[in-house]
Amino acid sequence: MLRILRKARLQVLENRNFTRYAIYAVGEVILIVIGILIALWLSDLSEEYKKREREQFYLAGLQEEFEQSRAKLQVLIKVNRDTYVKARSIAEAIAHPDSVLSDAEMSRLLFQAFSDDFAYNPNNSLLQELLSAGRLEILSNAELRNKLTGWNSRIERIRQQETSLREQRYRVLDVARSGTGSIRRIFEENGLAEGLLGMTPSPDPGTNLPLLESRQFENNVLIFILTAVYTEQMHYQPLLEEIQKILSLIDQDRE
């Protein structure tokens, strides 16, 4: 098109028609401007496409991470619930002295309720990379960006609560090993003495039934149950709902 305009312009100049020459010159300028605008538009379109590709890459990675984090949290909720249900059985036995709870059952409940020490460790390496590099802006969904920005503070609150739960567990165990209970009996009834420690059974492994008559032990068990239930209802379950919401937002933006 420009070649045609130039040829026409030369013919006009040869015929000394300056008015028509000006029209052709303006037309040539307009075509050049249009060409530049089209090139810029194509460049912007290409850049937008690349940006969208990068966003999809990060969304896919975040989706995988949060699905793994959700699975971990669901397991943790079950483990925590199992511990306070077993601890509740001990508390019920303390509250009802006429209930029949053998030494073996008591020792197994103690192990099942207070031996697990767990902490929530989500899979968030990609998220941490995005946060540390300041790349969250590549995600177009403002609500998703906001939730991801507040993720670390949520996990920090979870860890503080888990520390409190751990302390309550240790207090129960401190009473059990202070002389009122028998750690050996717990080990033997749960297969740890022979299996893990390689110890032969003792003819007198002691008893843990006196713990049922200890007010200090009961108080610590009850506080542990309260802390474990609070951890689930006020921390784990809300976090699980938050993960579900994040995954829903990611799914909306996935192509």
Side-chain angles (χ1 to χ4, degrees):
M1 178 62 74
L2 287 175
R3 186 178 299 173
I4 295 173
L5 282 173
R6 289 193 188 99
K7 186 176 180 181
R9 184 180 60 188
L10 290 174
Q11 291 176 350
V12 168
L13 283 174
E14 289 174 357
N15 296 329
R16 298 180 180 236
N17 192 331
F18 294 104
T19 302
R20 293 183 64 186
Y21 170 79
I23 294 174
Y24 284 119
V26 170
E28 186 175 346
V29 171
I30 291 174
L31 283 177
I32 292 173
V33 171
I34 292 174
I36 292 173
L37 291 176
I38 291 174
L40 290 174
W41 177 74
L42 290 174
S43 177
D44 289 343
L45 191 64
S46 176
E47 187 60 33
E48 185 63 29
Y49 177 76
K50 291 178 182 177
K51 182 180 177 182
R52 185 62 178 167
E53 273 194 327
R54 288 196 298 270
E55 181 184 17
Q56 290 299 309
F57 170 79
Y58 286 124
L59 286 172
L62 288 170
Q63 185 176 49
E64 183 178 354
E65 282 193 348
F66 276 97
E67 285 175 348
Q68 293 172 354
S69 296
R70 178 178 59 186
K72 280 187 175 182
L73 183 56
Q74 288 170 333
V75 170
L76 194 58
I77 289 173
K78 182 180 183 305
V79 172
N80 180 60
R81 188 174 299 165
D82 287 344
T83 62
Y84 72 68
V85 166
K86 296 297 190 302
R88 189 183 293 157
S89 297
I90 295 174
E92 290 293 333
I94 295 173
H96 302 90
D98 55 336
S99 64
V100 179
L101 185 65
S102 69
D103 213 336
E105 290 171 332
M106 177 65 174
S107 297
R108 284 194 289 270
L109 284 174
L110 284 169
F111 180 77
Q112 293 165 359
F114 305 109
S115 63
D116 286 319
D117 189 10
F118 45 81
Y120 181 55
N121 293 305
N123 290 28
N124 287 141
S125 57
L126 178 58
L127 174 58
Q128 298 311 318
E129 176 188 329
L130 288 172
L131 289 171
S132 60
R135 295 179 182 172
L136 273 186
E137 290 301 319
I138 199 170
L139 304 179
S140 57
N141 191 313
E143 185 180 1
L144 176 59
R145 290 199 308 269
N146 183 58
K147 288 185 176 297
L148 295 179
T149 301
W151 176 258
N152 284 342
S153 61
R154 273 183 167 272
I155 298 303
E156 181 58 32
R157 290 194 294 271
I158 290 286
R159 286 172 179 160
Q160 291 174 0
Q161 180 62 24
E162 288 174 335
T163 298
S164 177
L165 181 59
R166 190 175 301 114
E167 290 172 354
Q168 299 307 324
R169 177 181 289 107
Y170 289 162
R171 289 181 183 180
V172 175
L173 293 175
D174 284 343
V175 177
R177 61 190 174 200
S178 65
T180 308
S182 171
I183 299 299
R184 176 180 284 275
R185 185 67 183 245
I186 294 175
F187 284 178
E188 291 197 3
E189 293 295 345
N190 289 280
L192 298 178
E194 291 183 83
L196 181 63
L197 304 179
M199 299 166 56
T200 58
S202 170
D204 183 18
T207 177
N208 285 296
L209 292 180
L211 290 170
L212 299 175
E213 301 174 4
S214 168
R215 182 66 68 185
Q216 180 186 10
F217 179 74
E218 179 185 25
N219 290 342
N220 287 327
V221 169
L222 291 174
I223 294 174
F224 169 79
I225 294 171
L226 176 63
T227 307
V229 171
Y230 183 85
T231 300
E232 177 184 339
Q233 294 183 357
M234 303 304 294
H235 291 273
Y236 287 161
Q237 288 293 350
L239 182 64
L240 182 59
E241 293 171 7
E242 183 72 359
I243 292 175
Q244 299 279 28
K245 181 60 178 176
I246 289 172
L247 284 170
S248 176
L249 290 172
I250 291 174
D251 190 59
Q252 289 175 17
D253 290 344
R254 289 292 308 278
E255 289 181 345

